[in-house]
Amino acid sequence: MLMGRFIVMGLIGLSLNGCSSIVNGTDQDITINTNPSGASCILERKGVEIGRVPNTPGSVNITRTKEDITITCNKDGYQTATYLNDSGWESGSGAAGIALDVVLTLGISSAIDSASGADNQYESPVNITLIPVE
């Protein structure tokens, strides 16, 4: 009887594999606003361009990973502005969620989400103020 319950719990848990991957996906839109608007922004991860907003305000769809994103914005008459968008844990991916996952899926779901980056989230919208050139 105990073994039957364990098997049922395991099957339910396996059906939930990669909860963040399934519920929220492995990509995310980042909206960039600048003051003043009309700036061109490039998003880079580890020195490689992963997206571009040619005219703010605007959005770009990126793949979630554990790596931070550097956003660099330019506009004529203004200094270049840089913003570091940290890759942080998505809400609900904390210790309680992992503990529940360990009970239900022996940690498989959390491992999938961690490997894919689905348990991470970037700040959005990002608001950047550009300083005039003197």
Side-chain angles (χ1 to χ4, degrees):
M1 186 69 168
L2 182 61
M3 183 61 133
R5 287 183 189 169
F6 184 72
I7 291 171
V8 169
M9 284 180 56
L11 290 174
I12 290 170
L14 288 175
S15 71
L16 298 174
N17 272 347
C19 280
S20 289
S21 300
I22 294 168
V23 174
N24 298 319
T26 57
D27 61 339
Q28 173 187 347
D29 287 334
I30 296 179
T31 300
I32 302 172
N33 302 307
T34 59
N35 181 19
S37 61
S40 172
C41 300
I42 297 173
L43 290 81
E44 294 181 326
R45 185 184 293 135
K46 295 177 84 173
V48 176
E49 183 177 326
I50 59 167
R52 184 180 291 256
V53 174
N55 193 14
T56 60
S59 297
V60 64
N61 187 271
I62 54 89
T63 301
R64 296 181 192 195
T65 72
K66 295 189 178 311
E67 304 296 330
D68 298 338
I69 295 174
T70 301
I71 302 171
T72 305
C73 298
N74 291 292
K75 181 175 175 137
D76 287 340
Y78 293 85
Q79 297 177 25
T80 298
T82 303
Y83 180 85
L84 183 65
N85 198 338
D86 293 323
S87 174
W89 260 14
E90 180 177 25
S91 176
S93 296
I98 292 172
L100 180 61
D101 176 51
V102 169
V103 170
L104 294 177
T105 70
L106 303 176
I108 295 170
S109 178
S110 291
I112 291 170
D113 289 340
S114 183
S116 69
D119 59 351
N120 288 69
Q121 182 170 334
Y122 296 97
E123 181 181 343
S124 182
V126 173
N127 299 304
I128 300 172
T129 299
L130 302 173
I131 300 170
V133 174
E134 293 188 22

